[in-house]
Amino acid sequence: MSLPVPPLLTYTVRRVVQAIPIIILIMVGSFLLIKLAPGDTVDALVGDMGGADPAFVARLRAEYGLDESVMVQLWRYMLKLAQFDFGWSYVYEQPVITVLMSRLGNTMLLMVSSLMVAFTFGVTLGAIAAKRAYSWTDNMISTLGLVFYAMPSFFLSLLLILIFSVKLGWLPVGGIRTIGAFKTGWADVADVARHLVMPTAALSLIYLAFYMRLMRTSVLEVMDLDFVRTARAKGAGGARLMFHHVMRNALLPVVTLLGLQFSTVLGGSVIIETIFSLPGIGQLAYTSVVKRDLNTLMGIIAISSIIVVIVNVVTDLVYAWLDPRIELK
Amino acid sequence: MTIPDTSVASDSLPDINLMPARSLVLWRRFRRNRAALLGLVLFVIVVLMAALADVVTPGDPLRNAGPPLTAPLVLAANPLGTDQLGRDIMAGIFHGARISLIIGVVATLISIAIGVVIGAVAGYFGGKVDGALMRVTEAFQTIPSFVLLLTLVAIFGSSIQNIVIAIGIVSWTAPARMVRAEFMSLRKREFVDAARNLGVSDVAIIFREILPNALPPVIVFASVVMATSILMESALAFLGLGDPNYASWGNMIGQGRSVLRTAWFCSVIPGVAILLTVLSFSLMGEGLNDALNPRQKK
Amino acid sequence: MTGDRKTILDIRGLEIVLPSGADRPRALWDFNLTVGEGEIVCLVGESGSGKSLAANAVMRLLPEPHVRVSQGTIGLDGQDLLSLSETEMRAIRGNRMAMIFQEPMTALNPQKTVGWQIDEVLKLHTKLSKAERKARALEILGDVHIPDPASTYNAYPHQISGGQRQRVMIAMALVLKPQLIIADEPTTALDVTTQKQILKLIKDLQQAHGTGILFITHDFGVVAEIADRIAVLRLGELVEQGPAKQILLNPQHPYTRKLIAAVPALTPPPEKPMSNEPVVLEAKDLRKTFAARGGFLSGKRKPVMAVKDLSFQLRRGETLGVVGESGSGKTTVSRIVTRLLESDSGEVRVDGRDLLSASRAELRGLRKDIQMVFQDPMASLNPRRRVVELIAQGPIVQGVAKDIAHARARELLSLVELPPMAAERYPHEFSGGQRQRIGIARALAMEPRVIVADEPVSALDVSVQAQVLKLLADLRDRLHLSLLFVTHDLRVAAQLCDKVIVMSKGEIVEAGPTARVFANPEHPYTRSLLDSIPGRDWEPPVRSVA
């Protein structure tokens, strides 16, 4: 290469380019999968209208291109997809992309807050547990972790609602904003934050437990490594040893897991958003399945795959930043 | 510091009678772990509940069995109370244990089987085979598994068989990656070279030389898959997308949601049942892991 | 204690207890040792002797509370270390005493630059300003002969070579001019030529600063190079200590005598007359390039030539040594001739039949004639198979009936001097030396013409090493085997090999009868290798009968 391109940029571009075949694979796969479904959009439409005469149905099919072979339909679909055209949602009477975009923000908000909570608390508690391994504190933290891990998120959501909304009345039962309040500025931010407390807690707890347990194991492993002994032989100890030598190295597997698990976290939003009536992608997925809005469902698969790919690239970059042995080439 | 090697001193061998079998050693280590034992006890209770469901609570668990919304410990016929349709909660818990266990075990077997085959082939052969299989794995891992699960159930219907298969299909990627990693590290070990040097075929090396060594962590991981399978089924049922013909804990919680304000027990009792079942798998998995890798623990 | 030297380290009556379940209750007992100012004391022992624990006890870095000091005192320049608090100990570590470890690869923090890690020592123990600290770090990097201190300062450990990493470790240990340095096998992981340089560096710097050094090692060659005084440790018991000359030339305790006798002699067997035995293994123009992985949009790296146009012949009953340092390609050769690795071009003929162009089916039959003994006695045996299955596996694959193969496997156990009851055991129940015997039996079960041994004794203690080498030599003579013996250890090569080829960067730099190559090396690289053999000028007074 003759042009001096920063390695970070080439690396990012390369990772994004590598992800394209995976996205294509997913879209082809899910398109074919949905073609296996009994009944298509027209059937659903007609069913919704309470029946129609066969000629009209045939005309509709031709209009939607559903009379073509599957391969032709696939080709057309992929072409449209390349222009971010996900088709029309007959349930919302809008282009799918419009429906998706109007809800993307809420889901991202929930993702970011949940992951931040899970990561921060998970890593901190895990490190504390490892530092005091096999002590009373460690047993407490580890037991709590196991319980969190075994707690179904929907059950936890109900418990939170029962306690904080029904009994104590501190937090709103659902939604993203107080309906009809029309707050602005910081008042609006505070309102949204209040609405996000329970969903965030319910979604993050299981991952918090994951990161905590992994961090604990990882810290214990790193503490046994040679270079930690070197640091101690130099006279380093206490917080210095923990932060500079142990924690940073111990974070590596946690970052890997964060990337690998992100899609699961996104999947978990289906339940949480449905319970807390948060108008996000997850809730949309649930209603699309119930109402058989397959175009929207395909759009959700596409957009969530793209988000997962982006998050994975970001975690790879964080990993490379943490570990200088990884060379961004 | 490693454990001292006594190769200089002892050219004699320890007495064979003093060397207990592998499984016995494992059991002894497992037994010493109180949390793991608790997990085992919980697991046995769930298994007993599933086995004795027709004896303790005979008949259809979905039928009307008493006055609606009876609180627990009020009626002898409905010791755990009834829901809004008068269905006996205890019957639901016992019969629901069956569904949870069946789903957990079968879905885990499916996902581990797919994962082992794909992971083993990718990890052993490497190169292009690995590249292609890992693309597929990544694709599966990129779609949020619960969204894929919903899609599969939406398309193929929510009979219990379909749910089990769908859960298996969405959870094989983690075991596959794990088996692949194990294979990649084991195939570099010299005993694999030794087997090749003796003329052992690839298939025999994969299944008879490497796989037995790669399995222990996979078995431990199976407890995690089992736990998440149960959670996924109950989440589906909670959303009302489960098989309506069977009593399921998730479904009970979902139905109880509408009477949460007045009859909290309708959702809390099955919720605790899921919690304890999943906890039992985690505790046993943890105990098994410690027993297999005693060096991590004191 | 010799003369008027000031005592820096004074260990008295030290006892270290091990957790229950260890092979013995105490790692070390009744241990007395002193190190004087400017003195190098070598603590010698095989694995399991407790020598590393002794070193860690001085630094107070034992994995407490499982392993702890139960008795005794450790004095550093008159101060009792065992009575200090952890905070007081931290002020001493790295400042008044420092430690150098075995593995330069893992002993440095991979996430921090070399400069940062040296700077940390200064930051912890001095009040120097940032600029002063950097100047001092650069100065000490120069002192340990790092070629380009300024760029090494900013490099991460993985970016510099193993030898340089060990120099950095030494710089880190020396930067505050401690009174005592504890060096725990500091050259074991290094190539001989690097080892020689590092030993010289340690000695020079120690003389310049008057530092006392407690040098832990298992290698009597290294001891002969560097020690002022020697203490010999055997399974926790100090069996002998005294001035270096006395121990090296006139050892008293039987264990010391046994250890010294096990050091392979540097005198190769006399040159045999030209053999007219048939050639059983012939390699012609072998070539192997490891392509760097690259692909679409990824960075391209230069391919590495591991083996370049390599040819040799091995006759029946002969032993050919392949010697070289790490990265010389010697292991690649052993894997190509057994076709565990596909070569790019060339021929390998076993009894005239080409192994490299054989089809899969033909290969299975050919493999019978060329068998391998591996380096790592733990990793080369499948932990889930019983010994009898391990040994009989080859013949069974070749079509021998199971009961015949098993019976033959049991016979082979006595041939490699293992008790018959070993057959039903699993590999983890055996010691390293015993496992290597199982590996040899497995190779012999195929009744091969050629055995390729890839560093078969490098993972073993010297005394066990001597036994295994003797066994190999006996079997070779009794069964008329040919041996291709890959090793980094020139002493081992001298003892066993009729001929050697010396490899460097994938090429043969010199080949010939061992006696001639060792007596009159022609190539400068061979000469530097031979010069680097530790303890080369020391003539051990006792000899094993190998």
Side-chain angles (χ1 to χ4, degrees), chain C residues 415-493:
Chain C
L415 195 64
V416 296
E417 294 156 20
L418 283 174
M421 65 175 179
E424 309 307 323
R425 305 295 187 79
Y426 288 92
H428 72 270
E429 298 173 43
F430 296 86
S431 69
Q434 290 170 330
R435 285 195 284 253
Q436 208 54 303
R437 288 169 193 269
I438 298 169
I440 293 171
R442 171 172 62 190
L444 291 177
M446 300 286 266
E447 297 174 1
R449 311 287 305 260
V450 183
I451 287 186
V452 179
D454 183 6
E455 302 266 13
V457 294
S458 65
L460 306 176
D461 277 325
V462 260
S463 56
V464 185
Q465 191 174 330
Q467 294 164 13
V468 173
L469 285 175
K470 186 168 173 298
L471 176 71
L472 267 176
D474 284 355
L475 291 170
R476 171 196 61 192
D477 298 341
R478 273 165 64 189
L479 306 172
H480 293 288
L481 291 169
S482 307
L483 223 54
L484 184 70
F485 195 92
V486 177
T487 183
H488 72 283
D489 189 333
L490 292 148
R491 286 181 179 274
V492 169

Side-chain angles (χ1 to χ4, degrees), chain C residues 250-261:
Chain C
N250 189 18
Q252 296 302 311
H253 194 277
Y255 179 69
T256 318
R257 296 176 70 88
K258 185 184 150 202
L259 274 188
I260 289 179

Side-chain angles (χ1 to χ4, degrees), chain B residues 6 190 193 196 202 209, chain C residues 23 335 360 367 376 379 393:
Chain B
T6 49
E190 285 182 332
D193 280 339
R196 284 174 62 205
D202 283 336
E209 299 289 326
Chain C
D23 66 322
R335 301 217 157 213
R360 256 176 132 65
R367 283 202 184 283
D376 185 341
Q393 188 181 19

